[in-house]
Amino acid sequence: MTLRLFNTLSGQLDDLVPADGKALRMYACGPTVYDYGHIGNFRTFLQVDVLRRFLKLTGIAVRHVMNITDVDDKIIRNATAAGLPIGEYTARFEKAFFEDLESLQVERPEIIARATEHIPRMVELVQKLAAAGAAYQTEDGSWYFRLAAFPEYGKLSKKDLGGMEDGARVDLDEYEKDSARDFALWKAAKPGETSWDTAIGRGRPGWHIECSAMAMEFLGESFDLHAGGEDLMFPHHENEIAQSESVTHKPFARHWMHVRFLLVDGRKMSKSEGNFYTLRDLLLKGYKASAIRLALISVPYRHQLNFTFDSLADATNAIDRLRTFHQRLTTGSFADGANPALQAAAEKAQADYLAAFSNDLNTAEARAPIFDLIRTANTAMDQGQLLAADRDAILAVLASFDAVFCVIEDRDAEPTRRALEWAEQAGRMAEVAPELLTRQGLTDEAIDALVAERTLAKKQRNFARADQIRNELAEKGIVIEDSKDGVRWKRK
Ligand code: AMP
Ligand code: ZN
């Protein structure tokens, strides 16, 4: 099954296959570690995770590189304000970033590359660009890329770059002007700023050069896929192409994937609008990491995701259904045999699921057949028509669903525990939802013990005690369900 993925460069759906027939070589721009990651950042990292998990599900190995931008304008500004060396300043946010990825079940890329650890490769690339006539040095000692040396500039974003003025320069790491400018490859050291003493002078790299240098270092001059959020298409990715191809004269990345931006309540997320959320903000409000993951991936990557608290509530309900159903299958007892209608339903769900993913990673369409199957199977179970072989077939479909969605197994306790620990250290306990504090007061073991006590009380016909336990648990958000297969409990 081949994945057809939209390619920004070709402007159409193209097959995504490893050129070397072995592993898909991909580079995805990582975070600038100057603050905690927000849900927009994680939307992009999660969609890349969906991509790599789906490739692996279809038997394709991946060699995935992610950079960590640990030196740039914002980092230098914030570290200076905090009175810290940049390394100390960024270490805290890098650690938080990886914890957040873990909370969201985002797989760790095979290679993590910190910009500050690859300065010599960047210097080498600037030297090669200078030798090719594509880079020049200004009086202050900075180096710029000469856009006029790369006539194909603009081929990715397909922007009309008519306003391009030869020699107009920009030295900001980020800019969004429609007109293209010569951009900084290397910035001469300024007093008090972190800098490196190198063959091209004392200074620090621009943001764009790091991705070109590190992508080629780990993946070669040409590789399969480059990904990032849509804001990076211009100028960052356009600049990466210009820097790389001016030296290699080979296509840098063959396939480009861009994830559309997330909005909150229909508006751009921003601190001043009061609609800005980090992952930690949501965990402290009592939302489960799995629900956040599901809400952020359920809208296909090429569609705008409008994040709302209703969408989080929907995701929470969907996860409840998945987990309750999975538990019913794994704990119930089923007679031997197979029901042909259910076998066919499981097969169809699996085929539809894979087909939706193969069609440009359509996560919304991939979800639907799984929930249809749950409905059909629940009805069959109620009527005693679901047999052991059907259970196995359906569990196999759920396993394949979870290889990508990764929400059925309940791993939510740890992210919440970690967020609370962080809130305590960071003096943010006032932001913690009261229900969450109550809920956290009860460990799984404590609940198991109470449920067992209630079962015993019922056996001894002490219904008053049994009811008391049920009510106490309900107050703490724990629901007990009695069924013919035994007693189950879950956190609301
Ligand atoms: P940064 O740390 O700002 O370099 O961003 C890390 C990643 O998050 C990049 O791939 C960005 O394109 C992406 N990103 C930033 N804001 C959003 C957003 N609102 N929606 C989706 N992706 C975003
Ligand atoms: Zn990049």
Side-chain angles (χ1 to χ4, degrees):
M1 175 148 308
T2 305
L3 170 60
R4 307 264 300 151
L5 187 75
F6 187 79
N7 181 354
T8 311
L9 187 60
S10 69
Q12 60 184 30
L13 293 175
D14 288 334
D15 287 354
L16 183 67
V17 282
D20 68 2
K22 290 185 214 135
L24 194 107
R25 284 175 298 149
M26 58 185 269
Y27 186 95
C29 293
T32 307
V33 280
Y34 71 103
D35 206 343
Y36 295 103
H38 58 65
I39 54 174
N41 300 139
F42 290 117
R43 151 96 165 140
T44 292
F45 295 119
L46 278 162
Q47 292 293 349
V48 173
D49 185 59
V50 163
L51 167 75
R52 53 170 287 144
R53 283 174 178 273
F54 179 66
L55 287 170
K56 285 165 62 180
L57 182 68
T58 59
I60 297 177
V62 290
R63 179 173 165 79
H64 172 187
V65 180
M66 178 173 76
N67 65 303
I68 301 281
T69 302
D70 57 355
V71 54
D72 91 326
D73 297 345
K74 284 186 296 240
I75 290 174
I76 292 177
R77 197 178 55 221
N78 289 11
T80 310
L84 290 173
I86 63 164
E88 234 170 87
Y89 181 80
T90 56
R92 187 166 93 216
F93 294 110
E94 186 188 307
K95 181 167 171 280
F97 173 71
F98 283 112
E99 279 173 6
D100 289 351
L101 288 190
E102 202 180 302
S103 295
L104 289 170
Q105 299 298 320
V106 174
E107 286 186 337
R108 211 179 160 95
E110 281 66 31
I111 295 157
I112 309 284
R114 288 189 196 89
T116 54
E117 291 172 4
H118 298 268
I119 304 284
R121 297 299 290 235
M122 300 174 206
V123 169
E124 228 172 82
L125 189 51
V126 176
Q127 287 173 315
K128 286 184 185 162
L129 284 166
Y136 61 91
Q137 195 171 23
T138 51
E139 266 178 16
D140 73 339
S142 296
W143 288 86
Y144 285 83
F145 184 88
R146 188 193 309 281
L147 274 199
F150 191 67
E152 290 173 71
Y153 194 78
K155 67 180 174 180
L156 180 71
S157 57
K158 297 166 184 62
K159 271 181 182 287
D160 176 9
L161 298 168
M164 185 161 152
E165 294 167 57
D166 191 20
R169 283 193 294 273
V170 61
D171 73 349
L172 299 174
D173 284 332
E174 288 179 280
Y175 62 97
E176 289 181 23
K177 302 275 184 303
D178 271 349
S179 63
R181 316 270 171 99
D182 288 1
F183 56 89
L185 296 164
W186 183 261
K187 302 183 186 194
K190 289 198 190 119
E193 278 189 8
T194 308
S195 58
W196 285 261
D197 208 2
T198 73
I200 55 169
R202 190 163 186 85
R204 62 178 171 103
W207 167 38
H208 314 294
I209 196 82
E210 83 177 70
C211 287
S212 288
M214 298 196 293
M216 291 197 283
E217 176 176 352
F218 292 106
L219 300 173
E221 293 180 341
S222 274
F223 53 94
D224 298 310
L225 173 79
H226 196 312
E230 64 174 341
D231 60 321
L232 301 186
M233 193 191 303
F234 179 87
H236 182 56
H237 289 161
E238 207 72 78
N239 292 356
E240 282 189 46
I241 292 176
Q243 294 164 151
S244 311
E245 298 187 2
S246 295
V247 167
T248 66
H249 305 290
K250 292 180 191 156
F252 178 49
R254 278 177 291 277
H255 212 120
W256 289 80
M257 171 191 184
H258 290 103
V259 180
R260 274 199 81 178
F261 253 37
L262 163 150
L263 299 180
V264 175
D265 291 327
R267 289 172 299 141
K268 187 172 183 259
M269 184 166 67
S270 88
K271 285 189 179 155
S272 57
E273 293 264 344
N275 65 350
F276 181 94
Y277 301 107
T278 64
L279 172 66
R280 288 153 193 247
D281 292 336
L282 297 183
L283 289 172
L284 296 186
K285 283 181 187 297
Y287 294 98
K288 293 177 180 176
S290 57
I292 302 167
R293 176 177 171 97
L294 188 64
L296 292 179
I297 64 179
S298 289
V299 173
Y301 80 97
R302 271 213 296 147
H303 290 248
Q304 195 133 58
L305 185 155
N306 183 22
F307 177 86
T308 60
F309 283 95
D310 282 347
S311 69
L312 259 189
D314 287 347
T316 306
N317 289 337
I319 288 173
D320 266 358
R321 285 196 67 198
L322 283 162
R323 288 182 182 169
T324 307
F325 176 68
H326 187 258
Q327 202 178 26
R328 202 174 171 195
L329 284 183
T330 49
T331 56
S333 43
F334 303 93
D336 282 347
N339 174 340
L342 285 178
Q343 293 287 322
E347 216 167 282
K348 181 172 181 327
Q350 177 71 1
D352 290 351
Y353 166 74
L354 292 177
F357 258 127
S358 309
N359 179 19
D360 206 16
L361 295 179
N362 194 325
T363 44
E365 277 183 21
R367 247 179 80 147
I370 306 299
F371 285 90
D372 289 346
L373 179 64
I374 293 179
R375 212 168 303 128
T376 309
N378 268 331
T379 310
M381 262 192 282
D382 292 343
Q383 297 167 351
Q385 287 169 359
L386 193 141
L387 305 175
D390 307 327
R391 172 201 55 203
D392 296 345
I394 296 168
L395 281 176
V397 177
L398 289 185
S400 132
F401 169 84
D402 224 35
V404 182
F405 279 87
C406 202
V407 293
I408 296 181
E409 195 185 317
D410 188 347
R411 304 181 188 89
D412 288 320
E414 180 61 11
T416 301
R417 189 201 58 72
R418 209 163 34 212
L420 284 170
E421 196 180 283
W422 170 76
E424 222 172 315
Q425 285 164 7
R428 311 264 296 254
M429 286 306 277
E431 292 165 41
V432 180
E435 315 85 78
L436 178 60
L437 286 177
T438 322
R439 205 185 330 143
Q440 281 304 108
L442 277 182
T443 61
D444 286 5
E445 292 73 24
I447 299 167
D448 283 341
L450 279 169
V451 170
E453 191 189 330
R454 173 175 167 272
T455 308
L456 185 70
K458 272 174 59 176
K459 240 190 219 146
Q460 295 166 341
R461 309 195 67 76
N462 182 354
F463 296 112
R465 174 65 185 145
D467 284 348
Q468 189 192 11
I469 294 174
R470 173 192 280 273
N471 293 340
E472 262 176 30
L473 286 172
E475 270 170 28
K476 296 196 157 125
I478 315 291
V479 199
I480 296 187
E481 284 167 6
D482 293 306
S483 75
K484 64 178 182 357
D485 306 324
V487 188
R488 291 193 292 255
W489 62 262
K490 62 182 185 197
R491 295 180 195 269
K492 241 196 327 216

